[in-house]
């Protein structure tokens, strides 16, 4: 198999972290230069017409995109350690936590960064700085919610490490680097302690 990735982007990092947590090795990686438009090349668009990374090319040549789909596939091939749930109930609650983090925290961070950071103007045209700033404020509301959740249990989805922790960590690290977001400095001690444990 072959994984198309980019080291600084949060979604490829999620797949890399998922693979590391499972001890998966032997998958070739191909780095895509986003700033040079590598994700818009005809060769890459033949793999993923959405022009997004990561993409996992399977042994039979089919291309699987979307981070969660790639992780679901890898979970099926490498079921241990389990990161997505051992039965229907646990799978549902882990997916709920993961989707909340992905569709709120991570997406709000991405919108903020892509619309406010000058270094990402090449990827987001046109940029809408006011929208980006509003997303940065919404992200903090979501982060406060997550801080409250982590005050009740040690991990994002409950009592053990799962894919939801990977998604949240990669989102926060993206915000840490490009938004200079530090939860502890903004009154979110549980989120800061969790982030430090994950790191």
């Amino acid at each position: 198999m072959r994984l198309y990735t980019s080291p600084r982007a949060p979604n490829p990092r999620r797949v890399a972290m998922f693979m590391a947590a499972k001890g998966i090795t032997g998958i070739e990686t191909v780095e895509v230069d986003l700033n040079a438009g590598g994700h818009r090349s005809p060769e890459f668009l033949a793999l993923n017409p959405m022009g997004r990374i990561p993409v996992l090319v399977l042994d039979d040549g089919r291309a699987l995109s979307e981070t969660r789909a790639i992780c679901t596939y890898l979970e099926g091939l490498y079921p241990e350690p389990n990161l997505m749930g051992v039965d229907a109930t646990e799978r549902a609650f882990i997916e709920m936590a993961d989707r909340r983090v992905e569709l709120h925290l991570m997406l709000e961070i991405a919108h903020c960064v892509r619309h406010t950071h000058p270094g990402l103007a090449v990827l987001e045209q046109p940029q809408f700085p006011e929208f980006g700033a509003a997303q940065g404020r919404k992200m903090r509301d979501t982060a406060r919610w997550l801080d409250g959740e982590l005050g009740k249990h040690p991990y994002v989805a409950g009592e053990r490490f799962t894919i939801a922790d990977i998604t949240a960590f990669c989102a926060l690290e993206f915000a840490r680097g490009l938004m200079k977001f530090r939860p502890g400095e903004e009154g979110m001690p549980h989120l800061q302690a969790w982030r430090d444990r994950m790191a």
Side-chain angles (χ1 to χ4, degrees):
M1 291 189 287
R2 193 167 63 253
L3 180 67
Y4 288 80
T5 187
S6 184
R8 292 187 309 237
N11 282 318
R13 187 175 189 184
R14 287 167 64 194
V15 174
M17 209 173 153
F18 190 84
M19 289 170 53
K22 287 185 162 290
I24 299 171
T25 59
I27 295 178
E28 177 190 354
T29 58
V30 178
E31 287 193 16
V32 178
D33 187 341
L34 299 178
N35 286 340
H39 59 300
R40 296 187 193 110
S41 71
E43 296 80 16
F44 187 81
L45 290 173
L47 298 174
N48 183 3
M50 301 291 115
R52 303 283 187 191
I53 54 168
V55 174
L56 181 65
V57 177
L58 309 184
D59 290 337
D60 64 10
R62 289 182 295 164
L64 183 62
S65 62
E66 305 304 331
T67 301
R68 179 71 191 217
I70 292 169
C71 291
T72 297
Y73 180 73
L74 294 173
E75 178 91 345
L77 293 182
Y78 304 92
E80 297 299 331
N82 178 280
L83 297 176
M84 292 184 154
V86 296
D87 59 24
T89 301
E90 192 185 31
R91 278 193 299 275
F93 278 93
I94 290 170
E95 183 169 351
M96 177 181 72
D98 189 42
R99 298 296 281 167
R100 282 177 171 173
V101 170
E102 180 182 43
L103 295 175
H104 298 281
L105 184 70
M106 179 171 263
L107 190 58
E108 290 158 359
I109 291 166
H111 284 321
C112 176
V113 169
R114 288 177 72 104
H115 286 278
T116 62
H117 197 284
L120 293 179
V122 67
L123 298 176
E124 193 68 52
Q125 282 300 318
Q127 282 186 315
F128 296 101
E130 288 180 17
F131 170 72
Q135 291 295 295
R137 291 188 294 274
K138 286 180 84 169
M139 178 278 291
R140 284 168 169 83
D141 291 339
T142 304
R144 278 187 280 279
W145 160 79
L146 186 54
D147 179 69
E149 292 297 300
L150 290 166
K152 300 175 204 168
H153 40 77
Y155 296 96
V156 173
E159 298 303 314
R160 70 180 184 93
F161 178 82
T162 68
I163 190 171
D165 295 285
I166 292 171
T167 302
F169 180 76
C170 292
L172 285 180
E173 290 303 281
F174 196 53
R176 181 180 176 81
L178 294 176
M179 294 173 65
K180 307 304 181 208
F181 176 64
R182 305 291 189 274
E185 294 173 9
E186 298 193 29
M188 302 173 221
H190 305 297
L191 186 55
Q192 185 69 56
W194 170 88
R195 180 265 161 205
D196 294 344
R197 248 186 328 127
M198 293 300 103

